[in-house]
Amino acid sequence: MPKHDSLWLKSLRWIQKQLVHTIVVPQDPFADLNLDASRPLAYVMKTESLSDIAALSEITAKLGLPSPYEPLVANGVVAPRVVCLQGRKPLFGERTGNEPFLECFMRLLAVHKQHPELDIQLVPVSLYWGRTPGKEDDTMKAAVFERENPTWLRKCLMILFLGRHNFVQFSNAVSLRYMADEHGTDMGIAHKLARVARVHFRRQRKVMTGPVLPNRQALFHSLLKSESIRKAIQEEAATKKISETQARETAIEYLDEIAADYSDSLVRIAERFLTWLWNKLYSGINIKGAEQVRQLHHDGHEIVYVPCHRSHMDYLLLSYILYYQGMVPPHIAAGINLNFWPAGPMFRRGGAFFIRRSFNGNKLYTAVFREYLDQLFAKGYSVEYFSEGGRSRTGRLLAPKTGMIAMTMNSVLRGIERPVTLVPVYLGYDHVMEVATYHKELSGKKKKKESVWQVFGAIRKLGNFGQGYVNFGEPITLQNFLNERAPNWRAELADDPEQKPSWLTPAVNVLANRVMTHINDAAAASSVTLTSLVLLATDQNALQRSLLERQLDLYLTLLKKVPYTAYTSVAEGDGKLLVQQGLELNKFVVSADSLGEIVSIEASQAVSMTYYRNNIIHLFIVPSLIASCLTHNEQIQRQQVASVVADFYPLLKAELFMGIKDLPAYVEQVLDFLIEQGLVVETDTLAIVPEHTSQLLLLASSVSETLQRYAIIFNLLANRPKMERSELESESHLLAQRLGALHGITAPEFYDKKLYGTLSVKLKALGYLADSEDKSNINRIRDQANNLLRPSVRQTIVASVTAEHIV
């Protein structure tokens, strides 16, 4: 009987199985890692451990991976399936050496030397019984629950108390064929492999548990000794004519108001509550791009998560997902409005640090907050903040607030050695529970102050929320960004550290917009967002079910064959499945007559559903503009379509934070797609296939409100060339209100004053405002916009603009 099949070990494994709940990172190793099921595979573990191998065996059985108990047989050579870097630690005495395991490496390398076609995969596997990072003042607790090198007795205690928090992490496979070919097969390479593996496991533990947690009061005393806070205390005392002791007490109050008090125990409790909550609310959480973030952590980057802000759920969802993806929940910059009992203390223990909406020129508060942020970066804690400043009320991304991004940039300029990387995150939901409240606020209702009663009210209304989406966008490493924007930034700062560079503010603005663009690049096209997009493009927000399914099939195929970016995710399934999912969530209603079923949005819900459409409108705005060109011109050439798109794209980019890297190529790909799908034919010109006119008209309708805004702006500019920015913003807004009243436009963003402000800034940058003498471009774009409008809408705009004034 093999050793692992003895009755004693079987009994121990059965007991362990009852005590242990294991979470796998990543959840699907074959999909997320470079594993090849057709090649032999061996596991590499840090320490020999019966309990670790037993836990691994349970997981490999579920994943369809080879059992660690099965020997590895390759070309007649038999070797253990598991290779460990060190022997187990006895209760007393010294640990056994690693010679037997180096011998395993040597045997595996030798067989590669004899058989050139062989390529064994070495898969590092890390096991974590609990994820407590430890504290700077840990004593007895750290000794009892020593995690890195436990004896069998300590391991038994860990399984007993921490077995429900066991994590098994698989890493990218290492090709032993590559190692043998590149470095040889002698004992030296075996030692090198062992050294590399040790470094890997040390880094993996840091990613999983994070840095040790400071004693909060010791942290405060350390911060108060910093030069910037000492200087700010002296200035506070002099300005307010108080003693330095009083000013110091004020600084301590600020620190106590700001600083997080992270508790691993609370995080473990919250993990159980949130698991229950997500299972109650969502039928699934879809994640894309986590592996790239895990790799950044592993490579030693300081990570700053910058998500979009849809809901108060955002804080919880991202932290929860990161925890289950084998990363430490970040310290989160939360608005001071959330610091109410009992949520405030709980958020603080979960890693939230609180920030005032405005610093109001308070130099002491500013110095304290900046120094605290620097300390988080210096100690290696990941950080999260929402650059929009608040939750989006329309479903579109808001213009970024640059304060936190500027502080992060300044931390880099002050000399952080590790690479600091911003990770944009798209958060999406099939249901956002605050949407109804958002539209009340947009209609003029006063925003309610957050309170415990709102929390209880929200919990009481919990129901089926469909699915959630967490997509990690393209990371931005700040040192690389600075090298791009100001190649000599290090030398400039070395010459005069106190001088603020002239390029800094423009660079921060560019960075903030790039972050927002990368968030939108990672958008999730789901059943609710796609179906909303189609139905809101119809006159009555209703469509025959078969036609709706056909249109959704077209959109799904477009997103897959002409991807917006590599970071975008697209719903699985076909149009039929998407419609069914939307109906199950009660987002849409279905009625039937003798001709078939009709799917529609209830009139009372139409405005709310624009929120979900707006989450992904940027993915379809250029295809929609192309379709609009085709439907408004019986014959049109490719270059004419490309010219129209090129004229409008700078405004679309500013308004929707779009990031199409090669616009002409993208336009060509969309046109080729429409031809391939049989919607359009091309001879010398492009023309619509008559039986597919309705599909192109639906696609074209998605850009109609945007074109109406642009027609308002360019008709005003063409009629009154010397119009100033402020005047253009106010009159565009007034004319939009008139147009909406006359033509039934209900989308909240159509009346958003801030949006017209954003557009006016871009128009000035493009040279379309009063400081430019050449107005031929304005007239051309006005004519293009007018040409793409319905005649009734065009008539309203032209008549209103040519009147003496707008009333």
Side-chain angles (χ1 to χ4, degrees):
M1 179 185 291
K3 183 180 178 181
H4 68 270
D5 281 340
S6 69
L7 183 61
W8 169 244
L9 289 177
K10 278 185 175 181
S11 301
L12 288 178
R13 288 204 300 272
W14 183 86
I15 294 170
Q16 177 175 312
K17 188 176 180 180
Q18 310 313 307
L19 296 172
V20 171
H21 171 69
T22 300
I23 297 162
V24 182
V25 181
Q27 293 181 357
D28 186 353
F30 280 109
D32 294 344
L33 305 175
N34 61 337
L35 300 187
D36 184 348
S38 65
R39 288 161 49 202
L41 182 151
Y43 304 107
V44 181
M45 302 177 73
K46 183 186 175 190
T47 305
E48 182 186 17
S49 166
L50 294 176
S51 56
D52 286 0
I53 292 175
L56 177 61
S57 175
E58 293 289 331
I59 295 304
T60 55
K62 293 177 182 177
L63 294 174
L65 289 165
S67 169
Y69 294 122
E70 296 174 0
L72 173 62
V73 180
N75 293 79
V77 175
V78 180
R81 180 74 63 175
V82 177
V83 179
C84 302
L85 301 184
Q86 58 189 19
R88 69 191 69 175
K89 186 175 181 180
L91 191 58
F92 302 104
E94 294 295 321
R95 184 192 303 277
T96 57
N98 65 350
E99 290 78 10
F101 306 109
L102 288 177
E103 179 63 28
C104 288
F105 272 133
M106 287 302 301
R107 289 165 65 189
L108 293 174
L109 286 167
V111 76
H112 279 74
K113 187 175 184 179
Q114 297 166 8
H115 303 279
E117 76 285 354
L118 183 64
D119 188 3
I120 295 175
Q121 304 169 94
L122 292 181
V123 180
V125 182
S126 307
L127 281 93
Y128 307 92
W129 300 88
R131 293 172 59 178
T132 302
K135 291 189 176 181
E136 291 175 349
D137 57 352
D138 270 353
T139 53
M140 182 60 72
K141 183 179 177 182
V144 173
F145 293 109
E146 181 186 350
R147 286 166 177 74
E148 290 203 55
N149 296 294
T151 62
W152 64 264
L153 180 59
R154 284 176 176 168
K155 195 62 165 289
C156 289
L157 291 172
M158 290 163 63
I159 292 171
L160 183 62
F161 292 105
L162 301 170
R164 309 305 293 176
H165 293 271
N166 179 38
F167 285 76
V168 172
Q169 181 164 2
F170 294 90
S171 299
N172 280 308
V174 176
S175 166
L176 209 52
R177 163 57 50 204
Y178 173 81
M179 297 299 293
D181 290 346
E182 289 293 314
H183 303 288
T185 58
D186 58 12
M187 182 59 80
I189 186 57
H191 281 284
K192 182 174 182 178
L193 277 170
R195 285 195 303 272
V196 170
R198 285 193 192 93
V199 172
H200 170 84
F201 286 124
R202 187 164 57 247
R203 289 181 175 178
Q204 286 290 74
R205 173 164 288 278
K206 183 75 174 289
V207 172
M208 181 68 76
T209 64
V212 294
L213 299 173
N215 175 284
R216 201 162 184 260
Q217 293 305 315
L219 173 66
F220 288 2
H221 289 304
S222 171
L223 290 171
L224 290 168
K225 291 178 183 177
S226 70
E227 185 179 345
S228 61
I229 291 183
R230 279 167 43 204
K231 185 177 178 182
I233 287 172
Q234 291 169 358
E235 288 186 15
E236 179 84 356
T239 303
K240 295 190 175 178
K241 295 182 172 55
I242 57 177
S243 68
E244 287 194 18
T245 301
Q246 289 174 300
R248 180 185 171 87
E249 288 173 356
T250 302
I252 293 172
E253 287 175 8
Y254 288 157
L255 279 170
D256 194 51
E257 175 189 304
I258 293 166
D261 190 15
Y262 186 90
S263 164
D264 179 70
S265 300
L266 180 76
V267 169
R268 287 204 306 271
I269 295 168
E271 173 263 320
R272 294 187 182 184
F273 168 74
L274 290 175
T275 298
W276 168 84
L277 183 66
W278 301 139
N279 288 334
K280 181 176 177 61
L281 293 182
Y282 299 110
S283 55
I285 304 293
N286 301 276
I287 305 159
K288 183 171 183 179
E291 185 57 36
Q292 67 168 348
V293 184
R294 215 167 15 243
Q295 188 60 48
L296 288 170
H297 274 291
H298 189 273
D299 293 342
H301 287 238
E302 171 60 38
I303 304 295
V304 180
Y305 298 98
V306 193
C308 60
H309 204 1
R310 311 276 192 222
S311 166
H312 282 317
M313 284 288 188
D314 298 342
Y315 305 97
L316 303 175
L317 181 60
L318 183 55
S319 291
Y320 179 83
I321 290 302
L322 290 170
Y323 184 82
Y324 267 88
Q325 289 294 318
M327 293 170 273
V328 180
H331 281 55
I332 306 165
I336 196 69
N337 58 308
L338 293 179
N339 191 17
F340 61 87
W341 189 90
M346 291 175 65
F347 285 153
R348 196 184 296 277
R349 301 283 282 178
F353 60 98
F354 293 96
I355 180 172
R356 296 180 179 181
R357 292 292 182 188
S358 170
F359 291 8
N360 284 327
N362 186 333
K363 291 184 178 180
L364 180 57
Y365 181 87
T366 302
V368 166
F369 187 87
R370 283 181 174 171
E371 201 63 35
Y372 176 73
L373 191 64
D374 280 358
Q375 191 70 233
L376 292 180
F377 292 152
K379 288 183 175 289
Y381 304 115
S382 57
V383 171
E384 172 190 337
Y385 51 71
F386 298 92
S387 60
E388 292 170 282
R391 291 164 292 160
S392 169
R393 265 60 177 172
T394 66
R396 292 176 169 220
L397 293 185
L398 303 176
K401 311 285 188 190
T402 58
M404 287 297 294
I405 290 178
M407 288 186 187
T408 306
M409 182 88 81
N410 278 314
S411 294
V412 174
L413 297 178
R414 283 195 288 270
I416 290 180
E417 293 300 322
R418 291 192 324 283
V420 176
T421 298
L422 304 184
V423 176
V425 187
Y426 176 94
L427 299 173
Y429 308 88
D430 283 342
H431 177 79
V432 175
M433 58 185 178
E434 297 103 322
V435 163
T437 304
Y438 292 162
H439 289 122
K440 288 177 183 176
E441 292 174 13
L442 288 168
S443 63
K445 189 174 181 180
K446 188 176 180 182
K447 180 180 180 292
K448 287 185 180 179
K449 184 179 180 181
E450 278 79 9
S451 70
V452 65
W453 307 115
Q454 280 185 283
V455 175
F456 289 140
I459 292 174
R460 183 173 54 83
K461 296 175 184 176
L462 296 183
N464 178 16
F465 287 2
Q467 300 199 34
Y469 306 88
V470 181
N471 291 352
F472 296 93
E474 182 181 353
I476 305 168
T477 299
L478 291 193
Q479 284 87 344
N480 295 343
F481 175 81
L482 285 167
N483 291 339
E484 169 197 322
R485 297 292 302 180
N488 298 320
W489 64 277
R490 295 181 192 274
E492 287 183 44
L493 292 170
D495 292 341
D496 190 354
E498 299 300 319
Q499 180 65 36
K500 179 181 176 181
S502 59
W503 47 262
L504 182 57
T505 299
V508 167
N509 292 333
V510 170
L511 177 61
N513 278 278
R514 187 173 295 183
V515 167
M516 305 310 288
T517 299
H518 286 193
I519 290 173
N520 260 352
D521 286 350
S526 66
S527 59
V528 171
T529 55
L530 286 167
T531 308
S532 300
L533 181 75
V534 176
L535 291 178
L536 289 169
T538 64
D539 290 335
Q540 301 299 322
N541 302 329
L543 197 61
Q544 186 177 321
R545 185 166 184 162
S546 59
L547 297 180
L548 172 59
E549 291 171 356
R550 186 177 70 163
Q551 194 73 8
L552 287 170
D553 284 334
L554 176 68
Y555 289 4
L556 289 168
T557 309
L558 171 62
L559 289 175
K560 290 171 184 174
K561 291 202 169 186
V562 189
Y564 182 77
T565 72
Y567 296 91
T568 307
S569 66
V570 184
E572 295 296 326
D574 57 9
K576 185 175 182 178
L577 178 62
L578 266 58
V579 171
Q580 186 59 39
Q581 289 173 345
L583 292 172
E584 288 171 359
L585 290 169
N586 298 318
K587 293 295 183 185
F588 315 105
V589 293
V590 63
S591 57
D593 58 23
S594 58
L595 298 177
E597 291 184 332
I598 295 173
V599 180
S600 61
I601 299 173
E602 290 183 333
S604 61
Q605 295 297 312
V607 174
S608 294
M609 296 311 294
T610 63
Y611 189 95
Y612 302 99
R613 175 199 65 184
N614 289 345
N615 287 179
I616 62 161
I617 188 72
H618 62 286
L619 301 181
F620 289 91
I621 204 77
V622 170
S624 181
L625 181 56
I626 291 170
S628 189
C629 291
L630 295 170
T631 55
H632 284 85
N633 298 274
E634 290 186 6
Q635 302 286 332
I636 188 170
Q637 296 181 329
R638 277 182 179 252
Q639 58 266 35
Q640 290 175 293
V641 174
S643 176
V644 171
V645 174
D647 277 337
F648 287 117
Y649 183 72
L651 295 176
L652 294 170
K653 183 177 180 180
E655 179 180 341
L656 296 172
F657 298 103
M658 297 182 67
I660 299 172
K661 289 185 167 56
D662 188 343
L663 184 65
Y666 181 74
V667 172
E668 289 291 315
Q669 289 169 6
V670 172
L671 286 170
D672 289 342
F673 169 81
L674 296 175
I675 293 167
E676 177 192 313
Q677 296 296 307
L679 278 68
V680 176
V681 293
E682 182 177 28
T683 51
D684 292 334
T685 58
L686 299 161
I688 297 173
V689 175
E691 54 266 35
H692 293 293
T693 301
S694 60
Q695 280 191 283
L696 281 172
L697 284 171
L698 271 176
L699 179 57
S701 293
S702 294
V703 77
S704 60
E705 291 174 5
T706 303
L707 289 173
Q708 289 164 20
R709 281 199 303 276
Y710 296 167
I712 288 170
I713 290 169
F714 281 95
N715 275 280
L716 282 169
L717 286 174
N719 190 58
R720 294 159 63 185
K722 298 297 183 183
M723 183 176 282
E724 295 291 337
R725 253 187 63 197
S726 57
E727 192 179 7
L728 176 65
E729 290 172 23
S730 61
E731 297 213 7
S732 296
H733 185 249
L734 284 172
L735 189 48
Q737 290 177 310
R738 170 181 287 185
L739 196 65
L742 292 173
H743 296 278
I745 301 169
T746 58
E749 70 276 3
F750 197 78
Y751 311 100
D752 186 357
K753 268 189 173 181
K754 293 179 181 178
L755 177 55
Y756 291 96
T758 298
L759 291 173
S760 70
V761 170
K762 189 64 179 179
L763 288 165
K764 185 174 178 64
L766 293 170
Y768 290 144
L769 294 187
D771 54 359
S772 174
E773 295 299 323
D774 182 11
K775 299 302 174 185
S776 60
N777 288 337
I778 290 175
N779 292 332
R780 184 185 72 254
I781 298 175
R782 175 203 60 189
D783 294 342
Q784 288 175 350
N786 288 348
N787 178 53
L788 298 177
L789 299 180
R790 295 200 312 268
S792 58
V793 173
R794 179 169 63 244
Q795 184 179 358
T796 300
I797 294 173
V798 173
S800 300
V801 167
T802 53
E804 287 188 8
H805 59 277
I806 300 172
V807 293

